[in-house]
Amino acid sequence: MLSPMTENDRYAPTPEDQFSFGLWTVGNPGRDPFGEAVRPQLEPAEIVCKLAQCGAWGVNLHDNDLVPFGSSAAERGRIVAAFKKSLRDAGMVVPMATTNLFSHPVFKDGAYTSNDPKVRAFALRKTMEGIDLGVELGARTYVFWGGREGSEADACRDPRTAISHMRDAIDFLCAYVKDQGYDIRFALEAKPNEPRGDIYLPTTGHMLHFISTLQHEEMVGVNPEVAHETMAGLSFVHGVAQAMEARKLFHIDLNAQRIGRYDQDLRFGSEDLKQAFLLVRLLEGTSGGQRYGGPRHFDAHAYRTEDQAGVWEFARGCMRTYKILVERALSFDSDPEVRDLVAEHNDAEIDPALTGYSREKADRLRALDLDADALGRRGCGYERLDQLMIEHMLGVRPA
Ligand code: GCO
Ligand code: MN
Ligand code: MN
C-alpha cells in the first residue's frame, strides 16, 4: 500500500517540480557486496508506470538499464519502441541519459582513462551509441560518471595522462554531438572513491576546473551528487553554489549520506537535514538568488530491508521531503527577523570603492578611517540566525 495522498495535499509532486528517478534507483534490487538481491528486478515499463503513479515527471537511464549489453540492432529497436510506448502511456519524459562504463569486466581498469587504446575506443563507441539512444528518447542532458576511472596501484599510470585521456574523450564526444546536430549538453559527475580506491577528478571543484580546459566548454557542466561530496567531507551546498555561480549546474543527483561511509545513496533528506534544507533553499532561490531550472533527480535507492512497497514509499518520501523543505525555506526567508539578520551592510561611500580597481579607489581605501578593534568587537548574531533556521525547519515558526 502506498502512503495516503489526498488531492489537495500541498506536498504532492507536480510536473513543474521536475522530479526524476533513474531506472537503476527504484529498480535497485538491493544487491550489495555482501549479499544477493532481496527484491525482484522490475521491468523498465513497470518502473515508468509506478513512478508516474507516485507523481514523478521523468525517468533517467544508463544505456544498459534499458538495452542489455550485447543486444542486436533488432532487439534494441524492439525494446526502445516498447519503452517509448510506456513513456507515452504514463506521460513521462526522459530528461537525462548516461552510459554504463563500469559493469562489464572490460572496464575494470577504467574506460576513457584505460591504458589500453582498444578499451578507450570501446568506451567511446559505447558512449556514442548511448548518446544516440538518449537523444532518441528526448534526453537534453548526458551524464558522465567515471566510476572506474581511477586506480588502486597508482604507479600504473601518470594521473596527468589519465586527465588528458579524459579530456580527449570529452572533446571527441562534444564534437560528435555537434556533428550529429544533437541538442544535448554534458554533465560531469565527480566521486572521490568507490568502486575504485581513488577516482580521478574527485570533486565538483576538480570537475569545474577540468571543464575550463575543454574545447567546447560551453556544452559541459556538472552533475554534483549529495553523497559524493559528503563522502569527501565537503559542504555539498558550497560545491553546488560554486557550480551555480559559474552557470555550470546542468543537473543534480539528490540523495543523503553520512560522512565517512561508503556511498549510501539514501532517501533525500534522510540524513543531515540541515544540509538538505540549505540545498533546497539554494536550488529554489528562496533567499533571492537565481533558481536552478533543471531536473531534481533522485539518485538513491530504498534500504535493503524493503520490499516493493518500501521502494515506492522511498520514492514518494524523496519528493515529499523536498517539497516540505521548499515550504520551510520560504518560511525562513520571509521571516522579518531572519531578513534583518542576513541583510547586507551597505555603505554608499565604501561599496563602490571595493570593486573595479583604479588608483583613485586605492587612494580612497588608504584614506578611510577603519576602526578594526571596534569592528572586531561586534557580534554577528549567527547563534540567533541558526536557531531561527532550526525552528523554521522544525515547523514551530511562524507559531
Ligand atoms: C554512483 C553514481 C551513479 C551515477 C550513475 C549515472 O555512485 O553509483 O552516483 O549512480 O550517478 O551511474 O551516471
Ligand atoms: Mn550519481
Ligand atoms: Mn552515488
Side-chain angles (χ1 to χ4, degrees), residues 24-25 62 96 143 145 189-191 223-228 251-255 263 265 297-300:
W24 72 94
T25 64
H62 299 87
M96 176 271 261
V143 161
W145 173 63
E189 177 176 346
K191 186 175 183 179
N223 178 39
E225 173 171 316
V226 176
H228 299 177
H251 199 264
I252 192 161
D253 277 3
L254 301 169
N255 54 22
D263 185 25
D265 292 338
H297 172 234
F298 298 103
D299 186 10

Side-chain angles (χ1 to χ4, degrees), residues 28-32 35-41 304:
N28 182 304
R31 197 173 289 114
D32 73 13
E36 295 308 323
V38 294
R39 299 182 282 265
Q41 190 78 57
R304 191 166 183 271

Side-chain angles (χ1 to χ4, degrees), residues 3 55 58 165 245 287 326 338:
S3 57
H165 280 154
E245 212 264 341
S287 61
V326 175
V338 170

Side-chain angles (χ1 to χ4, degrees), residues 326-353:
V326 175
E327 180 196 81
R328 298 288 85 219
L330 285 166
S331 140
F332 176 69
D333 281 311
S334 56
D335 183 331
E337 194 179 344
V338 170
R339 284 164 168 262
D340 221 38
L341 281 162
V342 300
E344 284 226 21
H345 313 266
N346 292 319
D347 187 314
E349 187 198 353
I350 300 181
D351 280 337

Side-chain angles (χ1 to χ4, degrees), residues 231-243:
M231 284 166 75
L234 300 175
S235 161
F236 186 63
V237 171
H238 289 191
V240 171
Q242 188 170 346

